[in-house]
Amino acid sequence: MSHAVIVAHGQPSDPEPAEAALAEFASDISTLAKRVSVHSATLAAPDALEAALDSLPENSVIYPLFMAKGWFVTSALPKRVGNRIIRILDPLGIDPDLPDLVASSVWNAVSELGWQTESTDLVIAAHGSGRSRNPSAVAGEFVDQLTKRMPFQSMRLGFVEELPSIAEAAANTGDQALCLPFFACRGGHVLEDVPQELSKAGFRGQTLPVIGELPPIKQHIAGILDKAFAT
C-alpha cells in the first residue's frame, strides 16, 4: 500500500478543529482511492506534519490542499519536509481540471435552484494577498477559465486581503446570485470574513461550499493520488 499526506494551512489560533476536519476529509479520500492510504496534517498544528511523515515510508507523497502554489507550498512546506525523500504534488488550486469540475458543480447548483446562468450573478470570494500577486493571479486565471465555460449574467471576483473586496464584488447583485468561496477548506475566512463581507454588500443570494467540498473534488483527488503511484 502506498501512502499520501494531505496538507492544509489550518488555524494557528485553534489548531485542533481544523486538524479533525482535515482528518475526516483525508479519510473520505482514502476510502475512494484504490491503492493509496491517505493521511493528513495541517501546518498550523505543531509538529503534526513531521510526525505524519516520520510514520510513513520515504516514497510517500504530499498533496497540498491549497489554492495557489505560493509561499506556503513552495517555501514553508518544503522547509517542514526537510531532508525526507517525499514528493510534493501540485496544489488543488492550479489543477488544470479544476475549472471543469467546478463548472459541473455550479451548473448542478443553478439547476437545483431552478435558475438560468444567463440571469444569475456569480461572486467568487478569494483570499488574495497584500504581499504577493500570485494568489490573486491564480484566482483571476480560474475566473477566466470559468467564464469560458459558463455564461453567467456577471462573474465578479473579490478578495479578503486585497481590492476589490468581496463586499465590492457582491454589491448590486440581486436575489438570483451565488457566491463561490475560492478556498480549499472551511476556515476562519470562510466562516467569518466571507459572510461579513456579503452581509456588508447586502448580498441576498446563496453561498456554495468551498472548492474542496464540492461534490467531484474528493474523487478527483483520490484519482490524482492513485495516478501518482501508477508507475
Side-chain angles (χ1 to χ4, degrees), residues 6-136:
I6 295 180
V7 178
H9 183 271
Q11 189 71 28
S13 61
D14 187 15
E16 289 308 314
E19 273 289 303
L22 186 63
E24 183 177 350
F25 184 92
S27 178
D28 290 344
I29 295 174
S30 192
T31 300
L32 295 168
K34 294 180 174 64
R35 57 172 66 91
V36 184
S37 178
V38 185
H39 312 263
S40 66
T42 68
L43 295 179
D47 301 321
L49 176 59
E50 289 81 357
L53 296 179
D54 286 344
S55 70
L56 300 177
E58 285 193 331
N59 65 340
S60 302
V61 301
I62 288 176
Y63 182 83
L65 198 60
F66 286 81
M67 296 311 294
K69 197 170 184 178
W71 182 82
F72 282 107
V73 175
T74 62
S75 183
L77 183 53
K79 185 176 180 181
R80 296 279 293 272
V81 170
N83 294 325
R84 300 173 183 86
I85 303 173
I86 302 287
R87 285 185 291 160
I88 300 176
L89 304 179
D90 280 337
L92 174 64
I94 65 168
D95 189 320
D97 293 324
L98 191 62
D100 284 328
L101 294 169
V102 173
S104 173
S105 290
V106 176
W107 272 118
N108 290 338
V110 171
S111 178
E112 287 174 5
L113 289 164
W115 296 352
Q116 298 294 322
T117 56
E118 292 86 351
S119 51
T120 301
D121 298 309
L122 179 64
V123 178
I124 296 175
H127 189 284
S129 172
R131 295 172 301 213
S132 169
R133 303 309 307 160
N134 188 53
S136 59

Side-chain angles (χ1 to χ4, degrees), residues 166-190:
I166 295 167
E168 290 171 324
N172 302 315
T173 55
D175 293 331
Q176 195 165 315
L178 292 173
C179 175
L180 174 65
F182 190 70
F183 290 82
C185 309
R186 275 182 301 146
H189 290 309
V190 174

Side-chain angles (χ1 to χ4, degrees), residues 123-124 154 156-173 194 196-203:
V123 178
I124 296 175
S154 71
R156 300 120 172 269
L157 176 61
F159 302 98
V160 172
E161 292 196 355
E162 62 180 275
L163 298 176
S165 69
I166 295 167
E168 290 171 324
N172 302 315
T173 55
V194 172
Q196 288 172 4
E197 288 290 296
L198 293 177
S199 177
K200 191 186 301 183
F203 183 78

